[in-house]
Amino acid sequence: MSPVLDTAFIPPRDREELVRHAVWESLVAVDIEHRPPAEDISVRIGLGDVGPLTFCTARASAVTVRRTERLARADEEPAVFLGLQVSGTSLVAQNDRECVLRPGELAVYESVSPYTLLFDEGVDHHFLRFPRAALALPDRLLRDTSTVTLGSDNPVARLAFDYFCQLAVTDELHQGGHADAVVEPSIELLRAVLTWQHGNSDLAKGPLEATLTLRVTQYVRAHLADPDLSAARIARAHGISVRHLYAVLSRSGISLGDWIRTHRLAACRRELAGPKGRSRTIAAVGRSWGFVDASHFSKVFKQAYGLSPRAWRDHHHPRSST
């Protein structure tokens, strides 16, 4: 995501006001208390929208953010915020409850109630804003799952963290048809996180099934390099049968074997063309992405791209003539 505000290029006397204005106009009205003096304030913010969803990626010096009672009462469009902790720690407090977030953890909180966000170590965080109505969840469920650390004991939350981090920083997903394609899965995935955390099996079934294809493909992407990646392993990781796995993917037009092979080949193609394309042998690159048979790797690579892996690498890294 391209930054829209970087205080490195702003005079110290203007930094606090410009940061406040950017956050108020694009995300939410809050009071912002910077810890360091004006000349040491450092803020870098990137913003994006995908349909009704808003993303903010922030890196900043230590700060406290408060949504006061007055600001919360004035809310005309109730929203649910999702906070993703990238590095360091932070604290979220709302409704007489607080939680600490560490890297890889997330939490939700609502715009209609006062809240406080403490970033004593500085900010390295993604903020995502969802319209409250789009989630269509009971008030009680939201109250019970807000300001709760979501992470290690919630497998859906672990998946959601990786997914939403990528969504926040990938500009291509904020444009055109890509944006339209990710809105509903994103809403359903957050619904799945919260209903799973709440333990409401009836409510969880819908979003969990609706996001199954998304969760499966994210899992496969994360394990593309594993040579033992199989339908049985994927199904077991998601608590479903192999038959159900194939049926779900088929409804989305995905052939599992073809999908895995295509994405493995794309990874090999990028590596061979990249700056370290000659640092390993062709066979080693193939093995690192699950192609244990070098001759098979060369054959399917040429079928896909019209060039052998060696020819592709030589095209991007021609050998020096002597």
Side-chain angles (χ1 to χ4, degrees):
M1 181 181 297
S2 301
V4 296
L5 185 148
D6 190 337
T7 55
F9 305 101
I10 299 171
R13 66 178 181 276
D14 298 328
R15 290 175 183 173
E16 290 190 53
E17 177 57 28
L18 285 176
V19 170
R20 187 193 70 84
H21 179 77
V23 173
W24 278 51
E25 288 297 311
S26 59
L27 202 63
V28 65
V30 287
D31 290 340
I32 304 173
E33 178 186 338
H34 298 273
R35 303 293 179 81
E39 61 271 18
D40 295 327
I41 291 175
S42 173
V43 178
R44 185 179 176 89
I45 295 176
L47 294 163
D49 294 294
V50 178
L53 314 183
T54 302
F55 302 84
C56 175
T57 293
R59 301 196 68 177
S61 46
V63 68
T64 298
V65 178
R66 292 187 177 87
R67 175 82 162 166
T68 64
E69 181 74 42
R70 177 181 61 82
L71 293 173
R73 281 200 309 268
D75 200 330
E76 296 180 357
E77 184 182 353
V80 172
F81 286 94
L82 175 63
L84 307 162
Q85 190 72 28
V86 180
S87 68
T89 62
S90 65
L91 183 143
V92 183
Q94 186 176 55
N95 297 329
D96 299 321
R97 187 162 61 201
E98 62 184 37
C99 66
V100 175
L101 297 182
R102 297 174 179 83
E105 296 178 335
L106 50 92
V108 298
Y109 46 97
E110 297 186 78
S111 66
V112 292
S113 298
Y115 61 76
T116 300
L117 310 178
L118 299 178
F119 296 96
D120 290 337
E121 304 172 7
V123 183
D124 190 3
H125 209 80
H126 299 305
F127 303 88
L128 289 81
R129 177 189 172 113
F130 291 76
R132 171 67 180 79
L135 290 174
L137 291 172
D139 291 341
R140 176 62 183 272
L141 186 148
L142 265 180
R143 285 196 302 270
D144 289 347
T145 53
S146 65
T147 330
V148 172
T149 301
L150 305 172
S152 60
D153 61 345
N154 184 326
V156 187
R158 293 198 300 270
L159 166 75
F161 182 89
D162 294 335
Y163 170 81
F164 285 120
C165 281
Q166 286 298 312
L167 188 57
V169 301
T170 305
D171 289 339
E172 294 88 342
L173 295 177
H174 306 164
Q175 302 164 3
H178 295 301
D180 295 336
V182 300
V183 170
E184 186 173 348
S186 298
I187 291 171
E188 289 297 329
L189 183 54
L190 182 54
R191 281 172 49 84
V193 170
L194 299 180
T195 52
W196 196 97
Q197 182 70 27
H198 192 260
N200 190 320
S201 58
D202 291 336
L203 276 175
K205 287 177 182 176
L208 283 172
E209 183 67 18
T211 61
L212 184 54
T213 299
L214 173 67
R215 291 186 286 121
V216 166
T217 53
Q218 286 288 101
Y219 177 88
V220 173
R221 286 179 192 276
H223 295 86
L224 273 177
D226 299 353
D228 63 343
L229 184 65
S230 65
R233 176 181 164 185
I234 296 166
R236 186 167 57 251
H238 293 83
I240 58 176
S241 67
V242 171
R243 181 178 180 180
H244 186 48
L245 170 68
Y246 281 122
V248 167
L249 294 178
S250 177
R251 289 198 294 269
S252 297
I254 295 174
S255 168
L256 181 61
D258 290 345
W259 197 95
I260 292 174
R261 183 170 56 253
T262 296
H263 285 76
R264 281 177 167 170
L265 286 171
C268 293
R269 185 172 183 251
R270 287 193 300 271
E271 186 167 338
L272 290 169
K276 298 181 179 179
R278 286 198 177 275
S279 63
R280 294 196 293 170
T281 65
I282 299 292
V285 171
R287 282 196 303 272
S288 70
W289 289 103
F291 293 102
V292 296
D293 185 315
S295 61
H296 173 69
F297 169 51
S298 293
K299 178 181 178 180
V300 295
F301 190 100
K302 187 171 184 179
Q303 287 175 342
Y305 301 119
L307 291 173
S308 69
R310 188 173 306 280
W312 172 258
R313 184 180 66 179
D314 289 345
H315 174 73
H316 289 274
H317 302 282
R319 292 185 180 276
S320 302
S321 58
T322 57

